[in-house]
């Protein structure tokens, strides 16, 4: 139950973060399709939250029953001034991390004969690939617009705005399907001094 609550909390924050990108960066001069895609991401995060709420309800629980951390929102505040940094940290670090860890969660629930929860997590996993893809595409777009090479810009922004190294093992296949190629995240794997 604590697990479902924690994931629901992440999804709720992810929905707020997607809307935050649309609203906070409305004056950024991005193409209309950028805002359309983040609106779709927000809708999918809301759907994920709803699916997890249904699973919690099946166990007689609901969101709000347990305390929750605000780590995700701290990421929003740390990058509130810079859309390029926001895309680096939120979709390309935090959401990409979900691609690494979710398959084993699906397997755990499948193995425990909780197919309903496994199906919800599989749905989330499939959608999250799309979110990372949207982040990666627009991160490259912004770097092009700024005349910056995307990979070194990513390394500099993540080192500045995200505390800690990126944790392997990485789901290289899912990440590359989402256009997040190893040159972005592999160099950040080591612990910084
Ligand atoms: Fe999600
Ligand atoms: Fe997402």
């Amino acid at each position: 139950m604590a697990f479902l609550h924690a994931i629901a909390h992440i999804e709720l924050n992810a929905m707020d973060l997607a809307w935050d990108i649309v609203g906070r960066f409305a004056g950024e001069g991005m193409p209309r399709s950028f805002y359309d895609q983040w609106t779709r991401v927000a809708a999918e995060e809301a759907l994920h939250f709803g699916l997890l709420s249904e699973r919690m309800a099946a166990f007689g629980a609901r969101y709000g029953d347990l305390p929750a951390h605000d780590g995700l929102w701290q990421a929003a505040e740390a990058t509130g001034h810079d859309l390029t940094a926001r895309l680096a940290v939120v979709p390309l670090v935090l959401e990409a991390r979900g691609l690494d860890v979710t398959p084993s969660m699906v397997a755990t629930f499948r193995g425990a004969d909780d197919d309903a929860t496994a199906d919800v997590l599989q749905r989330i996993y499939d959608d999250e690939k799309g979110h990372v893809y949207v982040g990666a595409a627009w991160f490259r777009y912004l770097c092009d617009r700024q005349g910056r090479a995307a990979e070194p810009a990513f390394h500099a922004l993540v080192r500045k705005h995200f505390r800690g190294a990126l944790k392997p093992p990485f789901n290289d296949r899912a990440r590359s399907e989402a256009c997040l190629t190893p040159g972005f995240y592999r160099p950040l794997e080591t612990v910084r001094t």
Side-chain angles (χ1 to χ4, degrees):
M1 182 46 51
F3 170 81
L4 289 175
H5 195 278
I7 305 288
H9 180 66
I10 288 170
E11 297 297 342
L12 188 65
N13 274 268
M15 181 190 72
D16 288 344
L17 280 163
W19 282 125
D20 189 76
I21 285 174
V22 172
R24 188 183 301 272
F25 300 104
E28 205 69 27
M30 297 295 279
R32 173 76 179 262
S33 53
F34 171 84
Y35 299 101
D36 288 347
Q37 287 181 330
W38 283 104
T39 300
R40 199 195 71 220
V41 170
E44 288 178 354
E45 306 296 17
L47 180 86
H48 299 164
F49 177 77
L51 291 170
L52 289 162
S53 296
E54 285 172 17
R55 291 310 302 142
M56 283 192 284
F59 296 108
R62 61 177 181 164
Y63 182 70
D65 285 350
L66 296 171
H69 65 86
D70 71 342
L72 283 174
W73 201 252
Q74 285 170 14
E77 290 183 340
T79 57
H81 62 292
D82 182 346
L83 178 57
T84 315
R86 171 65 61 85
L87 295 182
V89 171
V90 174
L92 300 185
V93 171
L94 299 174
E95 295 196 280
R97 172 86 183 139
L99 299 182
D100 302 333
V101 299
T102 307
S104 66
M105 297 177 188
V106 173
T108 299
F109 281 95
R110 202 70 77 196
D113 283 332
D114 185 352
D115 281 325
T117 300
D119 289 346
V120 167
L121 293 173
Q122 182 66 46
R123 168 68 193 262
I124 289 172
Y125 175 74
D126 293 340
D127 288 345
E128 294 303 332
K129 261 189 233 175
H131 302 176
V132 176
Y133 185 91
V134 168
W138 291 108
F139 181 83
R140 285 182 170 87
Y141 172 92
L142 279 166
C143 288
D144 282 350
R145 198 167 81 172
Q146 296 158 9
R148 294 205 268 179
E151 288 181 5
F154 180 75
H155 302 153
L157 289 166
V158 172
R159 288 195 174 107
K160 186 165 176 196
H161 297 290
F162 181 75
R163 288 184 19 209
L166 306 193
K167 287 191 201 116
F170 300 109
N171 185 341
D172 289 313
R173 178 176 294 185
R175 283 169 172 257
S176 65
E177 283 171 7
C179 244
L180 187 59
T181 37
F184 282 87
Y185 55 88
R186 287 277 178 207
L188 296 170
E189 188 178 331
T190 47
V191 178
R192 285 179 295 139
T193 52

